Amino acid sequence: FYLQYRFPPSSVGEVGRVGGVNRREVGHGNLAERALLPSLPPGDVFPYSIRAESLITESCGSSSMATVCACCLAMLDAGVPLTSSVAGVAMGLILGEKSGDKPVILTDILGLEDALGTMDFKVAG
C-alpha cells in the first residue's frame, strides 16, 4: 500500500516551489497512511498492490483527514475488500482570554479556527 499526498502552495493561495515533497507532505501523508493501514485486507485475500493519490487543490480545513476519508471511499469503490471503513476528523481547542473562561472544543475545524486555536489535533480510525 502506497499513499501519495500532495499539498501544492496554490491550494492555500500561495506561490512557492513545486517539486519534491516537503516535510509537511511527508508528515500528513504518513498520518493518513497509518490510519488506513489497519483496514487493508491481508495479502492472501487481496494479493494486489494499492496506490492511492491525494492531490489537494484547495484547503480550508484538515486536508490529511479529508485524505483519509477520500482514500477509504476510493478503495471501497475500486472493490478493495477493506476490513472496516475509516474516517478522520480534526479537532481544535480555543481558550478564553480570561482565566475563568471555559475552553471551547471544536470538531471538524476550518482554517480560520485552526489559526485562532490553541491546539489542533487529528483523530482517525
Side-chain angles (χ1 to χ4, degrees), residues 7 15 17 26 74 84 124:
F7 190 92
V15 176
R17 182 180 160 276
V26 170
S84 62

Side-chain angles (χ1 to χ4, degrees), residues 22-113:
N22 61 31
R23 191 178 69 153
R24 181 188 193 285
E25 291 173 311
V26 170
H28 284 240
N30 185 38
L31 179 67
E33 188 172 305
R34 287 185 312 164
L36 292 162
L37 277 174
S39 69
L40 295 178
D44 57 338
V45 173
F46 193 76
Y48 304 100
S49 297
I50 302 169
R51 178 182 176 268
E53 181 178 350
S54 178
L55 173 62
I56 306 304
T57 56
E58 193 276 333
S59 178
C60 186
S62 178
S63 56
S64 59
M65 295 299 98
T67 296
V68 170
C69 297
C71 286
C72 177
L73 290 172
M75 287 190 287
L76 288 170
D77 190 50
V80 178
L82 298 179
T83 59
S84 62
S85 295
V86 184
V89 66
M91 306 287 288
L93 174 69
I94 296 179
L95 298 176
E97 294 181 13
K98 301 174 193 161
S99 62
D101 291 345
K102 286 190 168 193
V104 177
I105 298 174
L106 304 171
T107 307
D108 199 22
I109 59 175
L110 300 174
L112 178 61
E113 297 160 345

